[in-house]
Amino acid sequence: MQLLDGKATADSIKKELALAVKLRKEQGKKIPHLAAILVGNDGGSLTYVNAKVKTCDLIGFESTLIRYDDSVPEEILLAKVKSLNEDKSIDGFIVQLPLPKHIDEMKITQAIDPLKDVDGFHPVNIGNMVLDLPGFLPATPAGIVELISRNGIETSGKHCVVLGRSNIVGMPVSIMLARNTTPGNCTVTITHSRTQNLVEICQSADILISAIGRPGFVTKEMVKEGAVVIDVGTTRVEDSTRARGWRLRGDVDFDAVKDKCSFITPVPGGVGPMTIASLMINTLRAMELKGK
Ligand code: NAP
């Protein structure tokens, strides 16, 4: 078994990005600027946004964090999105999801200028991804594909089974790996909560990607000998041995499954760091695409 070390892979990407920023500075060019909108005080969202801002600092990007209370009206958020669309100093921005129930997430996503949509969630960018046209790829699926690519894993002709069909992970990663690209050319089976014979389907996977948010759901019997296993799930579970009282757990029963795999991602330290690295790649591209 080889560990698919997302942290180490993301660290190399960050070094490349830091070098690109250094060169731009030397040439007197603009530095990429990422803005993030965070609504409310959810611990998970705050951790993710802080990690994004910290990564900007580390690689030399500028960043702006805009925070609103849970009760912020939808119109205020839409007005902020409009002003960020028009702000020439901002190259790309994200609205951290999930949003409170009274706000229509799709309406907010659709209000973002597709050329600044570095999370890659806008329908225009999803359409570009499907048609393999230039655009921004959603950060987590792009991070998964980059992790596969940078670790020399063959995807062509392989059977890839994806657990979960969400708009941000399961659906886009299925499309990206089925495309006629490298990495890609997989035969993909996308599964969800209504799928029958899930265990048998998983047993035939050369590459198994789980994005369902159910800790330890993927057991040893579901994994084929020599499979590549990518665990996207990150669920907080109680852990009294930690001062904070919890730890992150993936969808895969790591200890039981690891010896059957050729490659496996840890949680944490697998897909999470790659998601942030992809967001940074998209932000640099957002600036370069505008000829800055
Ligand atoms: P989501 O929107 O809640 O979607 C979950 C998907 O899993 C749905 O498609 C659901 O099926 C499917 N599912 C649920 N139970 C299932 C079962 N028993 N068998 C098969 N499929 C089942 O989740 P998400 O936003 O994609 O996130 C999934 C996990 O990834 C979460 O733990 C999240 O925290 C994590 N995540 C991590 C990162 C990262 O950077 N590491 C990024 C994003 C998400 P239905 O469609 O039928 O309901």
Side-chain angles (χ1 to χ4, degrees):
M1 177 277 290
Q2 201 173 321
L3 202 64
L4 266 180
D5 189 340
K7 188 180 174 305
T9 308
D11 283 347
S12 336
I13 296 171
K14 285 189 239 170
K15 278 194 189 126
E16 292 163 18
L17 291 169
L19 185 62
V21 172
K22 187 171 169 277
L23 289 174
R24 293 188 69 85
K25 272 189 184 154
E26 284 167 8
Q27 294 161 357
K29 289 185 176 168
K30 187 184 181 303
I31 301 306
H33 188 166
L34 173 72
I37 300 180
L38 174 63
V39 179
N41 292 303
D42 172 72
S45 294
L46 191 59
T47 307
Y48 296 139
V49 169
N50 282 340
K52 290 165 189 175
V53 170
K54 209 172 128 197
T55 305
C56 283
D57 291 346
L58 187 79
I59 62 181
F61 284 12
E62 287 181 55
S63 65
T64 300
L65 175 58
I66 301 144
R67 293 196 65 173
Y68 289 105
D69 195 70
D70 254 330
S71 60
V72 64
E74 191 177 86
E75 310 85 74
I76 300 282
L77 208 52
L78 282 168
K80 180 44 93 179
V81 166
K82 188 169 180 289
S83 85
L84 290 173
N85 283 341
E86 288 162 3
D87 185 340
K88 289 200 167 34
S89 74
I90 304 287
D91 300 297
F93 64 98
I94 61 163
V95 181
Q96 184 67 42
L97 303 180
L99 291 170
K101 295 252 177 306
H102 67 279
I103 297 174
D104 182 343
E105 282 187 0
M106 191 39 83
K107 200 166 165 186
I108 301 293
T109 302
Q110 287 187 271
I112 299 173
D113 177 350
L115 293 172
K116 290 193 175 187
D117 168 42
V118 285
D119 252 342
F121 295 161
H122 192 286
V124 166
N125 282 316
I126 298 289
N128 286 334
M129 173 195 69
V130 173
L131 298 173
D132 203 10
L133 293 171
F136 297 113
L137 297 170
T140 301
I144 293 170
V145 171
E146 193 68 21
L147 189 62
I148 288 174
S149 165
R150 288 191 180 230
N151 286 277
I153 295 169
E154 180 59 78
T155 55
S156 182
K158 304 292 180 189
H159 183 206
C160 176
V161 173
V162 178
L163 282 85
R165 57 177 164 185
S166 72
N167 288 346
I168 63 166
V169 190
M171 178 272 287
V173 81
S174 305
I175 293 167
M176 286 170 71
L177 285 170
R179 294 185 309 182
N180 184 4
T181 54
T182 305
N185 284 312
C186 284
T187 305
V188 178
T189 304
I190 182 162
T191 69
H192 44 77
S193 65
R194 315 282 175 90
T195 299
Q196 294 180 359
N197 307 323
L198 186 66
V199 172
E200 288 82 349
I201 293 169
C202 290
Q203 284 168 344
S204 72
D206 302 306
I207 301 171
L208 184 62
I209 301 176
S210 186
I212 59 174
R214 292 180 175 240
F217 182 87
V218 177
T219 57
K220 192 174 178 180
E221 66 151 343
M222 293 164 82
V223 176
K224 182 164 99 171
E225 200 72 47
V228 174
V229 175
I230 296 181
D231 191 351
V232 188
T234 46
T235 308
R236 283 184 180 192
V237 294
E238 256 186 49
D239 186 346
S240 55
T241 66
R242 310 276 172 107
R244 61 189 180 191
W246 58 269
R247 70 185 160 93
L248 282 184
R249 189 157 183 231
D251 290 345
V252 177
D253 185 354
F254 184 91
D255 288 332
V257 163
K258 67 180 193 314
D259 293 327
K260 267 185 117 177
C261 310
S262 54
F263 290 91
I264 183 167
T265 57
V267 175
V271 174
M274 291 302 296
T275 298
I276 297 182
S278 299
L279 178 67
M280 301 299 142
I281 292 172
N282 279 351
T283 305
L284 179 65
R285 274 198 62 232
M287 193 191 60
E288 289 173 344
L289 282 174
K290 289 177 203 105
K292 290 184 195 167

